[in-house]
Amino acid sequence: MHARPAIERMSFRRAPLAAAAICFAGGILLARLEAARCVWISLPVLLMALALLGVLACASLLGKERVAAFPVAALWVVLGVAAAEWQPGPMVPLQLMGYADNLSRTVRG
């Protein structure tokens, strides 16, 4: 019989966009923690981190590819934080939350 080839493990080299999406989502999660006051990130620090990690990622891509994965992943995390900071989610409508108590209401008029 024919032997099936072994399935390769998921790695950054096999699925770089999946790894980038996971890092980006981690950055959004970190920004939500910042919104909940667990972590504090200021805009100048965010911009400096973005610029420095961009330069570091470009410089490391010229060198060894194995080392380049860490700065590129960190850059995606910072990009996720920046995206969540610059495009926040909608605010919770607190005035309407009083009506969300599963009671039926009759509207006339």
Side-chain angles (χ1 to χ4, degrees), residues 24-50:
F24 191 80
I28 293 173
L29 179 66
L30 185 65
R32 292 209 180 211
L33 288 175
E34 189 267 332
R37 304 292 183 245
C38 297
V39 179
W40 183 72
I41 303 168
S42 66
L43 185 62
V45 171
L46 183 64
L47 290 175
M48 281 193 313
L50 195 59

Side-chain angles (χ1 to χ4, degrees), residues 8-31:
E8 291 185 40
R9 271 186 13 202
M10 177 79 92
S11 68
F12 182 75
R13 189 170 298 172
R14 297 251 321 140
L17 287 179
I22 290 169
C23 291
F24 191 80
I28 293 173
L29 179 66
L30 185 65

Side-chain angles (χ1 to χ4, degrees), residues 99 101-109:
Y99 296 114
D101 54 4
N102 291 331
L103 295 176
S104 63
R105 303 217 171 23
T106 305
V107 179
R108 294 183 188 158

Side-chain angles (χ1 to χ4, degrees), residues 37-86:
R37 304 292 183 245
C38 297
V39 179
W40 183 72
I41 303 168
S42 66
L43 185 62
V45 171
L46 183 64
L47 290 175
M48 281 193 313
L50 195 59
L52 289 174
L53 282 172
V55 169
L56 184 64
C58 289
S60 67
L61 285 173
L62 298 175
K64 293 188 178 187
E65 190 175 320
R66 185 180 306 173
V67 178
F70 297 110
V72 171
L75 181 65
W76 278 107
V77 169
V78 172
L79 281 171
V81 170
E85 287 290 323
W86 294 330

